[in-house]
């Protein structure tokens, strides 16, 4: 490769990546799954966006303390979970896709599905599935999904894995994460701002430290706001 090519190559790669980002059309609905039975946009709520990979141990470990914080703050918090399948987890895309399939069948069960994946994720790690065909892995995932949505949905779940729409929805989730600069999981944004230490689980104390000042537990809300500026 000549020197000129070497200089131009990074530019070319950047351009191609940017093009693929623009090539995705805007989805008809905001990506992600809302925790609890709530509208996606409550203007008074503190919005947490969590990018999670169903087969990522750090995502799994971050879930209980986050749930505890949600319980503590109640309606002050709004959680939106975005699936973000990491490329080095072989079964991240299929399990993320399963979340979209469940969401279509029964949106109240989507995050229970995520919880079951967290509980059972070890059977879907790279090593134990190394010798399995894609079809065998999908079979294994369908069994887990049916545990959550019920046996009567088995046919719909299976056809969900052949439905291009669920494939596209999962790609949208991934691309949305990329467009926000996500490069690991779990990755959190609060009111649109990225939290430091992205990619690490945050414990309950950590969440209290982040959210308490925002809800003005100790001081007047406005005062706090200026303090942080
Ligand atoms: C949807 O999921 C919720 C929560 O798991 C469950 O209570 C409800 O019965 C389910 N609805 C149907 C139609 O299966
Ligand atoms: C996968 O198959 C190879 C060759 O048959 C075998 O040596 C290996 O132990 C298998 N790995 C697992 C995780 O089952």
């Amino acid at each position: 490769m000549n020197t000129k090519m070497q200089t131009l190559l990074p530019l070319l790669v950047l351009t191609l990546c940017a093009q693929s980002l623009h090539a995705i059309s805007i989805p008809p609905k905001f990506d992600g799954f809302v925790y609890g039975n709530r509208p996606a946009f409550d203007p008074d709520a503190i919005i947490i966006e969590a990018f999670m990979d169903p087969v990522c141990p750090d995502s799994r470990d971050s879930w209980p303390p986050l749930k505890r914080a949600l319980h503590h703050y109640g309606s002050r918090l709004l959680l939106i979970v975005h699936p973000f399948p990491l490329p080095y987890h072989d079964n991240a895309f299929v399990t993320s896709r399963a979340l979209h399939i469940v969401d279509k069948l029964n949106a109240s069960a989507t995050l229970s599905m995520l919880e079951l994946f967290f509980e059972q994720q070890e059977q879907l790690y790279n090593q134990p599935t190394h010798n399995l065909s894609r079809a065998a892995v999908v079979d294994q995932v369908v069994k887990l999904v049916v545990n959550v949505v019920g046996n009567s949905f088995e046919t719909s779940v299976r056809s969900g894995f052949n439905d291009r729409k669920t494939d596209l929805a999962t790609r949208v989730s991934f691309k949305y994460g990329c467009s926000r600069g996500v490069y690991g999981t779990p990755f959190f944004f609060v009111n649109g701002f990225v939290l430091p230490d992205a990619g690490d689980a945050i414990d309950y104390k950590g969440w209290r430290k982040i959210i308490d000042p925002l809800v003005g537990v100790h001081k007047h809300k406005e005062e706090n706001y200026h303090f942080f500026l």
Side-chain angles (χ1 to χ4, degrees), residues 76-221:
R76 297 292 286 119
L77 291 191
L78 174 71
L79 172 69
I80 303 172
V81 176
H82 302 281
F84 191 72
L86 292 169
Y88 40 87
H89 292 153
D90 294 343
N91 302 311
F93 194 87
V94 69
T95 48
S96 296
R97 188 174 184 181
L99 295 178
H100 281 287
I101 293 170
V102 170
D103 200 59
K104 270 191 152 178
L105 296 174
N106 181 354
S108 321
T110 313
L111 292 178
S112 310
M113 188 68 247
L114 181 64
E115 286 183 355
L116 188 69
F117 281 138
F118 285 156
E119 279 166 29
Q120 306 267 325
Q121 65 176 202
E122 290 181 16
Q123 59 171 282
L124 290 163
Y125 285 171
N126 294 359
Q127 209 274 334
T129 57
H130 181 75
N131 284 343
L132 298 182
S133 65
R134 296 300 313 157
V137 169
V138 169
D139 249 27
Q140 208 169 314
V141 171
V142 167
K143 283 197 186 100
L144 291 173
V145 174
V146 166
N147 269 330
V148 170
V149 295
N151 285 318
S152 57
F153 284 104
E154 182 166 348
T155 316
S156 319
V157 173
R158 279 189 195 282
S159 61
F161 281 102
N162 293 315
D163 181 352
R164 178 152 168 82
K165 283 200 201 106
T166 66
D167 175 56
L168 289 178
T170 316
R171 294 183 193 203
V172 165
S173 293
F174 170 73
K175 289 183 192 228
Y176 178 63
C178 293
S179 77
R180 301 287 306 273
V182 174
Y183 53 81
T185 59
F187 214 99
F188 299 106
F189 293 81
V190 174
N191 288 342
F193 283 78
V194 68
L195 293 186
D197 303 323
D200 287 336
I202 297 171
D203 64 13
Y204 178 66
K205 261 197 207 147
W207 280 116
R208 292 293 306 269
K209 230 167 103 183
I210 293 159
I211 307 296
D212 269 359
L214 303 180
V215 297
V217 166
H218 301 301
K219 290 181 194 166
H220 187 260
K221 207 171 165 186

Side-chain angles (χ1 to χ4, degrees), residues 29-42:
K29 119 182 211 313
F30 191 73
D31 182 73
F33 312 119
V34 177
Y35 182 87
N37 207 359
R38 313 194 44 188
F41 290 102
D42 171 354

